[in-house]
Amino acid sequence: MDRDLVIDVNSSGVDIALLEDKHLVELTKEKSNKKYSVGDVYLGKVRKLMPGLNAAFVNVGYEKDAFLHYLDLGPQVRSLIKYTRLASAGKISTLPLSEFRLEADIEKTGKISEVLSINQPILVQIAKEPISTKGPRISSEISFAGRYLVLVPLADRISVSQKIKSFDERKRLKRLIKSIKPNNFGVIVRTAAENKMVAELDSDLKELIEKWQSISKKLNKVEAPKKIVSELDRTSAMLRDHLNESFNNIHINDSALAEEVKTFIKHIAPEKVGIVKSYSGSKPIFEHFGIDKQIKNSFGKIVTIKSGVYLIIEHTEAMHTIDVNSGHRVNKDKNQESNSLEVNLEAATEIARQLRLRDIGGIIVVDFIDMTEAKHRRQLFLRLKEEMSRDKAKHIILHPSKFGLVQITRQRVRPAMKIEILEKCPVCDGTGESKPTVLIIDQIENNLQYLVQEQNEKKLSITAHPFLHAYLTRGLPSLRLKWMWHYKCRLNIKPSSSHHFLEYHFFNKNNDELKM
């Protein structure tokens, strides 16, 4: 399977698209001002104890307090509190964790008021980003993910990913980790570690231990709430998690980020540095790779599949619902049961892609077309399971009910991706009042004249809808050439299918947008 990563650096942040065989399967939008990401470690302060919920609300600097349940404290939370207290006082910088004396585990059925008190500082990690009206969900069982291993400080267990099936390989990995792991550290062996040598595992482990050790230095005389350690940005995290598989190309439209990614890859997989390619084409990078068109077709309430089958995806407060419709897909040579099976199997493939693409989590109920035969329902379940096997998020799929309903639960750690694909009316801009379109050319020329004569911009670019671009650039002499001669400037006009019919934007020689 061909895998390509396309990274679009823009003014609002970084957009990351993962393509499998040219089909868009994951889309991440990382805002440049985003403060709370899964994996970030904070020194928080207990604001409120809720005995009825057996939970606490912790101030980590977000507008809404973070939620910490007793079950998310971790068995060694008392050791963590003690370590945090000593590190904050500057008394632990010379004491490695392997020599730290651990406290007794807390009881599994205990009360949160027995462990925490109001205004107490506590080290926590973001487990779920703020979603809707809720603050972050946090855990005090800190962990750091590497390429091959996950490090869990203040623990002593070694576990191996269940996806590694070979008993001998699991035994070998456990033996290797036991030989290199310091005391008071737990390790979870990731699937990517299969068949890896001890040197690679040891290198990954040392980096993760250094990350933990940096916490004790940063905790010195810090007042809560305060971010202590940041997780990798989504670009690096996606590279770390996906680079283990068949990655063919990484296309980036920003040379600085391309160099950063090369440096990162050189560190974790030197043999793959050549797959990073800097994109400098005239079209926007998402448009060049056909991603914009796929986004327009894949988001929204109704998603149409090529054969005419379509899905209706809706979100309620409690769950997501997906309805499968056959459209005009009817094969006269087959009976209703066979037609239903074909439609359902095709829909299952698209549903698995949609869950990854939109990062839909929580409870999902899918209403497939009814099938009377049990073997066909079994076949549908296996297809859905197979298609979902590539999904990194934890999920559970239940067998289809006799009503054709399939229930899915999928891990939710971030808000579901929601992109508005309906465009404003190009005539009225959503106001219900139309602007005289005959004046659009005069408007562009007036703005051009102002930028050249008043702002001394001698090299400009305009992005416009392809229809408007064609009007401005075709003919001899074209309007573009006339303007260049008249205003003595260099002018480049680029088509952009993502623009509305009458939409245009000016850019200077540094490719910075000029607001008009």
Side-chain angles (χ1 to χ4, degrees):
M1 177 182 290
D2 288 343
R3 284 170 163 262
D4 295 312
L5 202 64
V6 182
I7 301 175
D8 176 24
V9 180
N10 49 62
S11 57
S12 61
V14 180
D15 296 346
I16 310 165
L18 176 62
L19 305 178
E20 291 181 352
D21 292 334
K22 308 302 179 186
H23 292 291
L24 180 65
V25 294
E26 289 186 26
L27 180 66
T28 303
K29 290 180 174 286
E30 189 75 9
K31 293 183 180 177
S32 53
N33 60 352
K34 190 174 183 182
K35 295 182 180 179
Y36 297 87
S37 298
V38 172
D40 288 350
V41 177
Y42 283 81
L43 180 65
K45 182 181 283 189
V46 178
R47 177 99 74 176
K48 192 187 300 181
L49 297 177
M50 303 292 289
L53 297 173
N54 206 14
F57 285 99
V58 180
N59 178 15
V60 293
Y62 188 66
E63 59 192 55
K64 298 237 175 188
D65 289 338
F67 183 78
L68 176 63
H69 195 272
Y70 182 85
L71 296 177
D72 294 322
L73 288 175
Q76 274 294 317
V77 65
R78 287 197 174 99
S79 299
L80 180 68
I81 292 169
K82 177 183 172 183
Y83 185 91
T84 304
R85 186 176 67 250
L86 293 173
S88 298
K91 297 179 180 179
I92 208 164
S93 56
T94 58
L95 180 67
L97 189 65
S98 57
E99 298 175 18
F100 182 74
R101 185 176 175 182
L102 299 182
E103 300 293 310
D105 287 1
I106 61 171
E107 294 180 18
K108 290 183 179 179
T109 56
K111 303 294 183 184
I112 199 154
S113 55
E114 298 169 354
V115 181
L116 301 180
S117 57
I118 293 174
N119 293 326
Q120 178 181 359
I122 182 170
L123 203 63
V124 294
Q125 189 170 35
I126 305 292
K128 285 186 180 180
E129 292 176 9
I131 296 174
S132 186
T133 58
K134 300 175 183 176
R137 178 84 183 251
I138 56 176
S139 169
S140 59
E141 191 166 23
I142 312 296
S143 64
F144 300 110
R147 192 177 181 206
Y148 304 120
L149 308 172
V150 176
L151 182 73
V152 186
L154 301 168
D156 209 24
R157 67 184 185 276
I158 300 172
S159 54
V160 181
S161 167
Q162 294 179 355
K163 292 183 180 179
I164 299 177
K165 302 297 183 186
S166 168
F167 176 78
D168 291 337
E169 178 61 10
R170 293 173 69 88
K171 192 175 178 181
R172 181 189 78 91
L173 289 169
K174 277 192 175 183
R175 188 179 68 250
L176 288 180
I177 297 301
K178 195 172 183 180
S179 68
I180 62 176
K181 180 186 76 67
N183 291 332
N184 298 336
F185 283 102
V187 172
I188 302 168
V189 182
R190 305 185 74 179
T191 311
E194 191 169 11
N195 299 321
K196 297 299 177 185
M197 304 303 290
V198 67
E200 295 173 281
L201 302 179
D202 187 47
S203 174
D204 201 32
L205 181 63
K206 284 177 178 174
E207 283 183 26
L208 296 173
I209 290 173
E210 282 178 16
K211 194 169 185 180
W212 165 257
Q213 289 171 342
S214 70
I215 287 180
S216 60
K217 298 173 185 175
K218 293 179 180 178
L219 278 174
N220 191 9
K221 296 178 182 175
V222 166
E223 290 290 327
K226 180 76 175 177
K227 183 190 283 191
I228 305 299
V229 174
S230 291
E231 168 63 308
L232 291 172
D233 57 62
R234 288 293 293 149
T235 310
S236 301
M238 191 171 272
L239 288 173
R240 179 192 67 199
D241 294 341
H242 286 284
L243 205 62
N244 310 314
E245 303 169 42
S246 54
F247 243 133
N248 295 76
N249 298 291
I250 300 172
H251 301 278
I252 307 173
N253 66 346
D254 181 84
S255 56
L257 182 59
E259 288 304 315
E260 286 181 28
V261 170
K262 280 182 182 178
T263 303
F264 181 80
I265 292 179
K266 198 179 291 183
H267 182 63
I268 65 168
E271 72 282 0
K272 289 186 174 283
V273 171
I275 67 176
V276 180
K277 296 177 173 60
S278 188
Y279 175 80
S280 56
S282 58
K283 288 184 178 180
I285 188 168
F286 272 19
E287 185 178 336
H288 175 77
F289 287 98
I291 296 169
D292 274 338
K293 188 175 182 181
Q294 290 195 55
I295 290 173
K296 296 285 186 184
N297 187 51
S298 300
F299 287 86
K301 182 178 175 180
I302 299 175
V303 177
T304 304
I305 306 173
K306 283 185 178 179
S307 62
V309 177
Y310 65 95
L311 310 175
I312 298 177
I313 303 176
E314 293 188 288
H315 173 57
T316 68
E317 191 65 28
M319 68 185 76
H320 281 82
T321 60
I322 302 176
D323 185 35
V324 177
N325 292 272
S326 60
H328 300 294
R329 169 76 174 271
V330 178
N331 190 331
K332 294 179 181 178
D333 298 330
K334 297 182 179 179
N335 58 33
Q336 183 178 347
E337 180 76 5
S338 299
N339 280 324
S340 298
L341 177 62
E342 274 190 17
V343 169
N344 285 339
L345 292 178
E346 194 170 356
T349 301
E350 180 62 22
I351 286 167
R353 185 180 82 100
Q354 285 289 329
L355 297 186
R356 290 176 67 190
L357 182 57
R358 302 185 187 215
D359 202 8
I360 295 174
I363 299 172
I364 303 114
V365 177
V366 186
D367 182 13
F368 285 100
I369 297 173
D370 291 352
M371 296 183 294
T372 56
E373 295 190 28
K375 66 177 183 180
H376 290 161
R377 293 198 292 270
R378 172 73 178 168
Q379 195 174 339
L380 171 62
F381 173 75
L382 293 175
R383 169 65 68 87
L384 193 55
K385 197 173 180 181
E386 179 191 352
E387 295 292 340
M388 292 282 289
S389 64
R390 293 192 290 271
D391 194 340
K392 297 281 183 184
K394 294 177 183 176
H395 57 270
I396 299 171
I397 308 170
L398 299 185
H399 287 270
S401 71
K402 61 181 180 180
F403 301 116
L405 299 179
V406 172
Q407 298 174 69
I408 304 170
T409 61
R410 186 175 181 275
Q411 181 185 25
R412 176 168 60 187
V413 294
R414 295 180 183 87
M417 178 71 67
K418 186 178 180 182
I419 296 178
E420 293 294 338
I421 63 168
L422 298 177
E423 298 179 353
K424 287 183 181 178
C425 170
V427 177
C428 70
D429 197 32
T431 64
E433 298 176 353
S434 63
K435 297 176 183 177
T437 54
V438 71
L439 300 181
I440 189 69
I441 302 302
D442 291 342
Q443 190 182 70
I444 295 174
E445 185 176 3
N446 290 339
N447 288 332
L448 177 66
Q449 180 182 6
Y450 168 76
L451 291 171
V452 173
Q453 296 179 353
E454 301 294 330
Q455 301 297 318
N456 202 29
E457 297 281 356
K458 298 299 183 182
K459 186 178 179 182
L460 293 164
S461 297
I462 299 175
T463 59
H465 188 275
F467 291 173
L468 188 55
H469 166 267
Y471 186 82
L472 295 172
T473 56
R474 294 194 180 165
L476 284 174
S478 65
L479 278 172
R480 170 180 165 269
L481 291 175
K482 287 180 181 178
W483 288 344
M484 287 174 65
W485 292 333
H486 183 73
Y487 296 108
K488 296 180 176 56
C489 67
R490 291 179 64 185
L491 180 63
N492 185 24
I493 303 178
K494 304 174 185 176
S496 175
S497 58
S498 62
H499 286 9
H500 308 316
F501 289 112
L502 303 181
E503 181 181 358
Y504 63 91
H505 297 277
F506 278 93
F507 296 86
N508 63 15
K509 62 182 180 182
N510 299 321
N511 208 30
D512 296 324
E513 185 176 352
L514 302 170
K515 299 293 184 182
M516 304 303 299

